[in-house]
């Protein structure tokens, strides 16, 4: 095989930065075109990186690039690389960003230059998070995302944008502080060999004392579940989504939430597996609770964007459930869920935005149903989005759910003597989400599209435009493709999941905490 | 028989996946652009399923003639893989699947032709064909599933197609409600199916070996029965656990095949266009539950393969449904709803058959039912079409003059479903009742009674629709050939298929008084089981006699009530205001109040209670705590802001105090 091409990842990372600069130096009218060009370039480049990636070594970091800046008093370096999991998310970032740029038609003449520059900056930080192999760099990128996001919501948001953007900022910043605390604490406890190099932390962290691991991991864990988000720190999400403009909601749900789940897998699970061995059942319970609680919350909302936002909380619960179960299959399902939810939620937010642009309301009672008459094409896309969200086989949502359910139920957690039955109970509970999701999604679809049209809409509404169709078709086809043949994605990251599960297995064997139940069936009366 | 060589027949078996792929492709093409042309949409859709029918027949021939020598053909590709396990999808063709393929493709083909006549005026004509194709593909995928996981996938796909088609006329509020109800009720069943499957997987995961995980058949003892046996031998599984799993999984069939208490969606599903009611909600999809139980039969047995509690549950649920649905059907006035309830009831019979051990009886009834029920529904569609949308049988009557073809076909279907001798329903129903009498006599007699009730309500429907004087105001007319030909074609199997499951040669010894326990094999059972099947039962003349008597009684009562109008039970019941008669009538008319109970619980109790809890927890506790923290921070900030007053001496004072404090702390702290 040819030697690895050099600097690919750096170019990819610099591209949005360059774009932000170029856009801010260009006239207002050219901003959108430039953004589309750069977005397309970024997606193309990420696809090219995908082709350069050696799948047979999927668990190793590839295309690595490392430049040291200074070593004392603590090492600061630029260090990027991808393995199968981060690569999947990088490609997702390229794709969803391009879609969001295309969907930004509603921005119109409202300061497009600033808008697209901010959007590019946001992409830069998201890519930085997925590419970073240095923890300090990871942290900086993770925090950097706050700035453009705050402005994107605060300037182009809805009526309550000030409240929502501040709430978003405070929650996420709070998480950032916790992460910083965990990071510094971990660094100081490592003594002479201290490093921020994520590749070596994976092997070094598990040898730290148990209580140190617990404290350090807790800092990271809290930061990530705020971002995920998980009960009880999820309330920033519905507000932020409701106020954010459509393309920003797509990015928020499609990409920013994935930073939380990515961190959860890469850092919490990768560095501190014993945390999960000890508290796995509780985390799984939290995940299951998220799935059901958020789904139930959706049943009584009146704002359609809020429903989709809360359904994100519900679906990210699958990530918690899958990650904490410590089985390779469930972990794989959780990673699949990240990508799949990224695409599905982007589609759904896009469709909500498309309806909102026409009706200027998101309140279900005001819409009153019957929109299918004048927007048949949007109706079909909505159907597909709905079905994907409720986990219909053949669409990507199902793969993740099935893998998480099958994987977690046969995981070491669910078969352990100590908490096995509790964990099984929680998985049964989580499966209730299957019914609830169908309930609220179909109810939403019915309230918007089925039934008789209200008089006030007669003749006022239009069907999907050309740009909208491009976005909707692209997202729909990827959902369909991932759902029909999921292995095309799984093959990339499966080695990562397998390796992590294997690493954890050694920890389980050391601690004897999760000895499986003796091979005797529990008899049920 | 088809003119194919042995090699070609083999090829057909080994490429059975094409049968599934063709309708999916057709559906996809129609959605992606062919829909612009009505004719092309129809042609693509009908072409795909016609191809499927030919292919299915070739497979059938290959299996019958042993051109394909193995008992089954199986091919799997991994669909999800990890180091823990691999889930696969694939194609499994064996005798049962081959039969189902023929049923699905043939009924689907006829319904699609019929649709051309029925939906010609509808603006959603092309869309309808797209959904029909997708449904047919999903159903065929379900039939050839190799494992429980794959079956679950296609199971949901047929469910969603049913959702689309029930809500096809989305502007009707009733249709919008019905499709949502159907999907959600089915999801409740799927929930049980899902957790049952994962529980089953948990206890058997180490025993699948080289075969497909959760597969139905497999090489070297990786079929379902052997895996259960191995797991039991290793102590991972026992009878009570398996029964628990079976009951969980059975929730799936309960919902999909509309069994008590999850049957409530099926009658409402009649909001969809009639071809759909015929194809999905009568002939094919609703039989998927029966097919699943038949496919994964070992799960419903004990670990050693004997009949156990789980089968009794299946039989009881089936019996309750059959009886309940029959009582309800007796008082309904909507022609399609009467048929829907009768579908419910007949599906109950199939489960009774499977549950009492009449395995072939259950499948045989499924096979016969698919044809005559599809025909009955298509007839009702012709009637509704001819009366411009009228569905109330009180507004019909005397239609046999204006619609002779629909009339004759409906009569054949009625005779068949009522179990009249020589028609197909007679043979399969008798087989089920006979087996039930042996194992659970109570269920047996209940089924016998239900058979009588079936004859009654079906003839009530027939007499009220086709005989007497026309009571409505439309101008009834016979339908177009696209609609009448499928009816006539379906009439043939409705009369004849019964003989496949009955060996006439058994009649002679039975009449001479031989025991019915053993007899010569019949074609149907021999094909399902292969030559090494268990044993074949002879004809039981006494049972036949009794069941004919019950059927005739039902017919006679209907005849006297609705044709000659000499009996007036119905008036007594319907017009009674109090007492037992009123209670019974209302119970039947209001569908045993199941809908009211469910909606009452969900709308009046669960949702409001939940709304309050959610508001309280989310708004008060979660938001409250967080905002409370914010409030505390802000008040602290209010205090602390006085520290930043910009006066230099003040800052110097603070710095001095801090240094002093640190010095003091370092003084009192012990040195290391």
């Amino acid at each position: 095989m040819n030697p690895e091409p050099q600097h690919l990842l750096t170019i990819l990372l610099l591209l949005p930065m360059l774009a932000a600069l170029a856009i801010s130096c260009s006239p207002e009218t050219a901003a959108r075109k430039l953004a589309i060009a750069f977005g397309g370039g970024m997606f193309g480049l990420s696809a090219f990186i995908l082709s350069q990636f050696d799948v047979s070594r999927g668990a190793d970091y590839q295309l690595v690039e490392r430049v040291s800046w200074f070593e004392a008093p603590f090492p600061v370096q630029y260090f990027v690389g991808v393995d199968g999991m981060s690569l999947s998310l990088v490609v997702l970032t390229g794709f969803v960003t391009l879609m969001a740029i295309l969907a930004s038609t509603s921005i119109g003449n409202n300061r497009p230059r600033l808008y697209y520059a901010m959007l590019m900056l946001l992409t830069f930080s998201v890519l930085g998070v997925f590419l970073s192999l240095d923890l300090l760099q990871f942290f900086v990128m993770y925090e950097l995302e706050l700035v453009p996001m705050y402005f994107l919501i605060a300037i182009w948001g809805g009526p309550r944008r000030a409240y929502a953007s501040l709430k978003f900022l405070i929650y996420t910043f709070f998480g950032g502080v916790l992460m910083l605390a965990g990071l510094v604490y971990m660094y100081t406890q490592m003594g002479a060999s201290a490093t921020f190099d994520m590749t070596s932390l994976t092997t070094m962290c598990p040898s730290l004392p148990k209580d140190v691991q617990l404290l350090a991991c807790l800092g990271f864990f809290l930061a990530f579940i705020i971002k995920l988000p998980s009960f009880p720190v999820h309330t920033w999400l519905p507000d932020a989504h409701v106020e954010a403009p459509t393309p920003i909601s797509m990015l928020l749900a499609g990409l920013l939430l994935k930073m939380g789940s990515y961190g959860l897998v890469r850092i919490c699970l990768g560095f501190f597996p014993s945390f999960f061995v000890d508290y796995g059942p509780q985390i799984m319970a939290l995940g299951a609770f998220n799935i059901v609680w958020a789904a139930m919350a959706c049943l009584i909302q009146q704002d359609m964007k809020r429903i989709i936002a809360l359904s994100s909380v519900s679906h990210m619960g699958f990530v918690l459930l899958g990650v904490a179960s410590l089985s390779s299959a469930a972990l794989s399902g959780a990673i699949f869920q990240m990508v799949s939810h990224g695409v599905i939620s982007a589609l759904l937010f896009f469709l909500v935005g498309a309806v909102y642009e026409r009706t200027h309301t998101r309140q279900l009672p005001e819409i009153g149903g019957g929109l299918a008459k004048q927007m048949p094409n949007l109706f079909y896309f909505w159907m597909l989005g709905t079905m994907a969200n409720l986990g219909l086989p053949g669409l990507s949502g199902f793969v993740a759910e099935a893998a998480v359910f099958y994987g977690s139920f046969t995981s070491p957690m669910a078969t352990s003597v100590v908490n096995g039955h509790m964990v099984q109970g929680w998985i049964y509970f989580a499966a209730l989400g299957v019914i609830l999701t169908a309930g609220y999604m179909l109810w939403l679809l019915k309230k918007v599209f089925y039934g008789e049209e209200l008089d006030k809409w007669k003749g006022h509404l239009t069907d999907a435009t050309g740009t909208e169709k491009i976005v909707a078709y692209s997202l729909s086809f990827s959902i369909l493709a991932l759902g029909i043949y999921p292995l095309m994605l799984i093959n990339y990251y499966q080695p990562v999941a397998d390796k992590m599960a294997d690493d954890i297995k050694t920890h389980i064997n050391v601690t004897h905490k999760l000895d499986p139940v003796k091979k005797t069936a529990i008899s049920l009366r | 028989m088809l003119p194919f060589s042995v090699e070609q027949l083999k090829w057909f078996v080994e490429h059975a996946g094409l049968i599934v792929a063709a309708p999916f492709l057709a559906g996809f093409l129609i959605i992606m652009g062919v829909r612009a042309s009505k004719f092309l949409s129809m042609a693509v859709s009908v072409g795909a399923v016609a191809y499927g029918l030919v292919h299915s027949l070739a497979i059938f021939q290959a299996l019958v003639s042993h051109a394909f020598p193995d008992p089954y053909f199986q091919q799997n590709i991994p669909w999800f893989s990890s180091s823990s396990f691999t889930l696969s999808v694939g194609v499994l063709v064996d005798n049962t699947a081959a039969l189902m393929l023929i049923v699905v493709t043939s009924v689907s083909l006829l319904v699609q032709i019929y649709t051309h006549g029925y939906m010609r005026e509808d603006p959603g004509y092309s869309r309808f064909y797209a959904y029909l194709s997708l449904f047919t593909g999903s159903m065929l995928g379900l039939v050839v599933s190799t494992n429980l996981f794959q079956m679950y996938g296609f199971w949901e796909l047929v469910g969603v197609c049913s959702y689309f088609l029930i809500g096809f006329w989305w502007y009707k509020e009733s249709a919008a409600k019905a499709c949502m109800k159907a999907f959600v009720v089915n999801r409740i069943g799927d929930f049980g199916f899902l957790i049952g499957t994962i529980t089953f997987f948990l206890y058997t995961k180490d025993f699948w070996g080289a075969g497909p995980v959760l597969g139905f058949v497999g090489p070297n003892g990786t079929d379902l029965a052997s895996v259960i046996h191995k797991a039991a031998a290793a102590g991972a599984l026992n009878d009570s656990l398996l029964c628990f799993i079976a009951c969980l999984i059975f929730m799936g069939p309960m919902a999909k095949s509309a069994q008590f208490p999850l049957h409530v969606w099926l009658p409402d599903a009649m909001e969809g266009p009639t071809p759909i009611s015929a194809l999905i909600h009568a002939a094919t999809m609703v039989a998927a539950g029966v097919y699943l139980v038949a496919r994964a039969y070992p799960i419903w047995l004990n670990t050693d393969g004997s009949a156990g509690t789980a089968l009794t549950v299946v039989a009881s649920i089936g019996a309750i449904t059959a009886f309940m649905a029959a009582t309800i059907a007796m008082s309904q006035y909507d022609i399609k709803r009467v048929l829907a309830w009768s579908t419910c009831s007949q599906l109950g019979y199939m489960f009774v058959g499977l549950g009492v051990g009449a395995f072939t009886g259950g499948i045989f009834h499924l096979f016969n039912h698919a044809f005559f029920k599809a025909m009955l529904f298509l007839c009702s569609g012709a009637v509704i079409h001819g009366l411009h949308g009228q569905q109330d049988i009180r507004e019909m009557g005397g239609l046999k003059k204006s619609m002779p073809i629909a009339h004759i076909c409906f009569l054949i279907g009625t005779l068949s479903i009522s179990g009249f001798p020589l028609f197909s329903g007679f043979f399969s129903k008798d087989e089920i009742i006979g087996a039930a009498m042996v194992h659970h006599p109570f269920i047996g007699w209940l089924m016998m009674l239900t058979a009588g009730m079936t004859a009654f309500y079906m003839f009530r429907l027939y007499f009220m629709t086709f005989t007497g004087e026309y009571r409505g105001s439309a101008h009834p007319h016979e339908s177009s050939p696209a609609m009448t030909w499928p009816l006539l074609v379906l009439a043939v199997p409705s009369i004849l298929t019964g003989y496949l499951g009955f060996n006439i040669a058994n009649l002679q010894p039975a009449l001479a008084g031989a025991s019915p326990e053993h007899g010569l094999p019949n074609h149907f059972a021999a094909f399902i089981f292969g030559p090494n099947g268990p044993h074949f039962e002879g004809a039981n003349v006494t049972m036949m006699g009794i069941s004919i008597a019950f059927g005739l009684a039902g017919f006679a009562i209907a005849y006297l009530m609705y044709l000659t109008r000499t009996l007036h039970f119905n008036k007594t019941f319907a017009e009674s205001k109090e007492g037992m008669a009123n209670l019974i009538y209302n119970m039947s008319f209001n569908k045993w109040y199941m809908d009211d109970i469910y909606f009452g619980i969900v709308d009046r109790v669960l949702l409001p209670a939940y709304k309050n809890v959610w508001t309280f927890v989310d708004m008060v506790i979660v938001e409250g705590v967080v905002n409370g923290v914010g409030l505390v921070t802000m008040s602290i900030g209010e205090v602390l802001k006085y520290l930043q007053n910009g006066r230099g001496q003040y800052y110097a004072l603070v710095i001095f105090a801090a240094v002093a404090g640190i010095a003091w702390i370092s003084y009192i702290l012990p040195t290391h």
Side-chain angles (χ1 to χ4, degrees), chain B residues 31-49:
Chain B
I31 290 171
M32 291 314 298
V34 175
R35 66 193 154 137
S37 151
K38 278 189 166 191
F39 174 76
L40 266 184
S41 303
M42 188 267 288
V44 167
S45 183
V46 171
V49 72

Side-chain angles (χ1 to χ4, degrees), chain A residues 235 296-297 380 390 428 451 521, chain B residues 127 170 187 199 235 241 610 623:
Chain A
T235 56
M296 287 182 81
Y380 301 142
L390 61 77
Y428 279 166
Chain B
R127 182 163 59 104
W170 44 262
R187 268 277 160 136
T199 313
L241 199 53
Y610 171 65
E623 289 276 303

Side-chain angles (χ1 to χ4, degrees), chain B residues 235 277 358 395:
Chain B
S277 311
E395 302 290 317

Side-chain angles (χ1 to χ4, degrees), chain A residues 228-245:
Chain A
L228 195 60
S230 155
F231 183 88
V233 282
H234 64 281
T235 56
W236 64 269
L237 183 86
D239 285 321
H241 269 306
V242 166
E243 298 309 325

Side-chain angles (χ1 to χ4, degrees), chain B residues 418-421 426 429-431 433-434 437 445 448 451-452 502 507 510-511 539-554:
Chain B
S418 313
F420 270 71
F426 170 74
K429 204 179 271 189
D430 253 22
E431 202 173 327
I433 295 177
M437 287 289 183
W445 285 108
M448 196 70 106
F502 184 75
L507 211 53
L511 287 174
N540 188 335
V541 186
T542 336
M543 272 309 143
M544 278 185 190
I546 298 175
S547 94
I548 293 172
F550 267 90
L552 280 177

Side-chain angles (χ1 to χ4, degrees), chain A residues 304-323:
Chain A
M304 58 179 175
K305 209 166 178 189
R306 226 182 157 79
I307 295 179
I308 307 296
L310 280 165
S311 96
S312 286
V313 178
S314 176
H315 283 93
M316 293 313 276
F318 279 102
V319 175
L320 271 182
L321 188 68
V323 169

